[in-house]
Amino acid sequence: MLASPPRPTRARTTLVAALALVLLLAGQLTAVSQPAGAATPAPTAPHTAVAAAAAGTFRNPLNAGPDPFMTHWQGNYYLTTTQGGSIRMWRSPSLGTLSTADPITVWTDSDPSRNRNIWAPEFYRFGDRWYLYYTADDGVDDHHRLYVLESDRDDPAGPYHFKAKLAPPNHADDFAIDAGILQLNGRLYLAYSGINPYQHNGLNIAPMSNPYTVSGGAVAIDGAGGCPEVREGPEFLYRNGRVWMTYSTCDTGKPDYQVWMKSMPLTADPLVPGNWTQHQGAVFSRADDRGVFGPGHHAFFRSPDGTEDWIVYHAKTTSVNTYTNRTTRAQKFTWRADGSPDFGRPLAMGATQDLPSGDPGSGNYWINDDGRSSGAGSLTYTGAWNSGTGCGTQCFWGDDHWSDQAGATATFTFTGTRIALLSVKDTGNGYAAISVDGGAEQRVDLHNSIRVGEASQYLSPRLAAGRHTLRVRVTGEHNSQSGASFVSIDRAEVYVN
């Protein structure tokens, strides 16, 4: 099987608003091998026994950024997401600890023609070098073009140097985003989203003579999509005698952003549009009952032992049309009897999943707002707090606590090295004062202009291994845009390594 990358949509100027969260979460790359079928995990049911092997599970989100691309290589997962002004990568030996990995800045650019609105980086290994493909402009969206970097050594984290601009001769000065590499019969092809007769952001494929040189004109591929808008982020899987091209449709800000698919025999010429067979209907789309909207801009990766296939993608927990609050998630997928991939339905944020086969485990565990924990954790409250299930799919296990009473506190006791807080961001939320082990308080604003669930609110500094406390205090204050001063308590994720 071959795993592929993620992509952005045109109106990405607002994506920088998500960067404050990006430091909390993380990722990977693609592979070109043939996968074995794997079972799709189901979310853990509420109120079941939780003492089971927490070290063998993880929960989304993996990263606070959109447009993920990920791979597993030599003992580590590597992930990139759209950052806007630079290219950052996260590296971790376990999927369960990717969200707390420190970001590595692998590329910044001083050239004003290509150092703005940097989107959807993807990286591939050819020979003993890595090639990182990305989109950038000069601040004008229609000036987006495709570029490639080359690593100085055999390391996906670089360092990298600029290699080339990628421009098919028949689209030398046209809008282009979301580069993905198709590898077929010993040849490389540049697949991307750009100007064509079908969409402003339409599917195109061009031949390449090497990883950094386009050697001919691009051909337009007419992809169905259930909407008149974009066809972007082409990704590829190779299995059962066919190459499967998946791509995202509709605007990424909309809740109906989704994944569609075409395929052709491995022996066919990808530059002949008629060789591609359209598969009808979305293959991965919104799941309102699970609070998942706009799933797409995806990529594929293999489990560390090569036996499972996984999709990594971004999605939102709100049905509002917005480019903010897109977070990176991952889940396993399987293969149907007819040889096609079965991506299933996107899982709810916070659903407990088994780690990929061969993942060494993280030892992470969670603490729920009602005090239950899958590890050595507990939670106590002082003052007046409300609790209930009104938050539905936007909360971990469908319940949370909230208070606007100044001085009310929630204190987590945990054993580990780091703790992250996830809860609803809302239009009526205010400031929380957070302290670790009785230290100085940090003021954290829990307000958001739209309501979103399972948002990353706070990540503690790295702590000495052992027993710690984290206290959340309601301040009774809020910013000028918020309608109230509520503080929400939902899920804490504890990291032990």
Side-chain angles (χ1 to χ4, degrees):
M1 150 197 159
L2 170 66
S4 328
R7 339 287 150 148
T9 325
R10 292 192 59 211
R12 293 287 170 78
T13 55
T14 56
L15 59 80
V16 178
L19 297 186
L21 289 181
V22 158
L23 292 176
L24 296 183
L25 308 153
Q28 172 187 351
L29 154 103
T30 86
V32 184
S33 46
Q34 302 239 352
T40 303
T44 300
H47 307 293
T48 56
V50 297
T57 61
F58 78 100
R59 286 152 295 281
N60 288 316
L62 301 179
N63 189 280
D67 308 331
F69 188 85
M70 186 157 76
T71 199
H72 186 272
W73 188 72
Q74 292 194 348
N76 283 292
Y77 297 90
Y78 291 83
L79 170 73
T80 53
T81 61
T82 288
Q83 301 296 295
S86 64
I87 298 176
R88 283 180 170 180
M89 187 174 290
W90 288 262
R91 176 176 58 201
S92 173
S94 174
L95 206 62
T97 51
L98 200 49
S99 63
T100 56
D102 294 323
I104 305 165
T105 299
V106 299
W107 183 250
T108 56
D109 202 326
S110 60
D111 187 326
S113 70
R114 58 172 193 254
N115 65 358
R116 304 279 298 279
N117 300 317
I118 299 172
W119 297 346
E122 299 186 10
F123 45 104
Y124 301 79
R125 185 175 184 258
F126 299 116
D128 61 354
R129 291 294 181 268
W130 292 81
Y131 294 86
L132 198 157
Y133 301 85
Y134 66 100
T135 304
D137 68 18
D138 58 0
V140 178
D141 181 59
D142 259 349
H143 294 172
H144 265 105
R145 301 293 185 267
L146 303 175
Y147 303 97
V148 60
L149 311 174
E150 182 182 64
S151 68
D152 295 343
R153 58 176 184 256
D154 193 1
D155 186 342
Y160 285 90
H161 59 269
F162 184 81
K163 191 65 176 178
K165 179 181 178 180
L166 297 172
N170 60 335
H171 291 292
D173 295 310
D174 290 338
F175 172 88
I177 61 172
D178 292 358
I181 303 301
L182 167 61
Q183 305 173 59
L184 204 59
N185 301 319
R187 299 194 61 184
L188 301 179
Y189 300 86
L190 175 68
Y192 66 97
S193 178
I195 299 293
N196 72 20
Y198 309 110
Q199 287 92 23
H200 181 280
N201 295 32
L203 297 172
N204 298 277
I205 301 177
M208 304 181 77
S209 56
N210 58 43
Y212 48 86
T213 306
V214 177
S215 57
V219 299
I221 306 295
D222 186 9
C227 63
E229 299 149 20
V230 303
R231 310 288 186 263
E232 60 185 12
E235 299 294 331
F236 300 94
L237 294 165
Y238 311 85
R239 183 168 172 128
N240 301 324
R242 301 186 71 82
V243 54
W244 309 86
M245 176 171 65
T246 54
Y247 55 94
S248 298
T249 75
C250 305
D251 190 284
T252 191
K254 293 184 176 181
D256 287 319
Y257 193 60
Q258 57 194 244
V259 179
W260 284 58
M261 183 170 68
K262 299 175 82 78
S263 71
M264 73 171 197
L266 288 172
T267 55
D269 184 351
L271 299 177
V272 176
N275 287 341
W276 291 96
T277 298
Q278 182 71 54
H279 292 253
Q280 295 304 313
V283 295
F284 200 61
S285 59
R286 61 189 285 175
D288 295 35
D289 58 323
R290 295 175 173 179
V292 181
F293 302 93
H297 205 111
H298 60 292
F300 304 111
F301 66 98
R302 305 295 300 279
S303 61
D305 65 4
T307 65
E308 296 173 347
D309 300 312
W310 288 70
I311 183 172
V312 60
Y313 61 97
H314 77 231
K316 300 179 295 186
T317 54
T318 177
S319 60
V320 173
N321 185 351
T322 176
Y323 298 104
T324 63
N325 305 112
R326 295 170 295 163
T327 60
T328 290
R329 301 111 182 265
Q331 64 188 69
K332 190 165 58 174
F333 69 91
T334 61
W335 294 84
R336 295 187 177 91
D338 67 0
S340 64
D342 182 357
F343 301 110
R345 301 178 68 228
L347 297 174
M349 184 85 88
T352 299
Q353 302 181 60
D354 289 337
L355 286 165
S357 182
D359 189 302
S362 63
N364 296 359
Y365 64 93
W366 51 258
I367 306 172
N368 193 42
D369 65 282
D370 62 4
R372 289 175 297 145
S373 176
S374 61
S378 62
L379 176 58
T380 58
Y381 295 90
T382 67
W385 288 85
N386 304 293
S387 64
T389 58
C391 55
T393 58
Q394 290 195 321
C395 290
F396 186 53
W397 278 12
D399 55 22
D400 69 349
H401 278 64
W402 65 97
S403 175
D404 63 351
Q405 299 302 302
T409 66
T411 301
F412 294 88
T413 300
F414 63 98
T415 299
T417 59
R418 211 167 195 186
I419 187 170
L421 301 183
L422 295 93
S423 64
V424 167
K425 279 183 174 287
D426 207 350
T427 56
N429 280 3
Y431 293 110
I434 299 177
S435 59
V436 178
D437 293 336
E441 289 185 333
Q442 177 179 339
R443 194 176 175 89
V444 177
D445 192 353
L446 307 186
H447 169 264
N448 202 55
S449 57
I450 58 173
R451 180 182 173 88
V452 293
E454 287 281 335
S456 301
Q457 305 278 26
Y458 172 83
L459 178 65
S460 77
R462 296 188 186 278
L463 307 167
R467 188 174 177 85
H468 301 279
T469 59
L470 178 142
R471 190 184 74 164
V472 180
R473 180 176 63 83
V474 180
T475 66
E477 301 171 340
H478 60 83
N479 68 40
S480 59
Q481 284 75 48
S482 180
S485 302
F486 285 99
V487 168
S488 299
I489 298 295
D490 188 7
R491 158 185 152 204
E493 193 81 6
V494 178
Y495 301 88
V496 301
N497 296 322

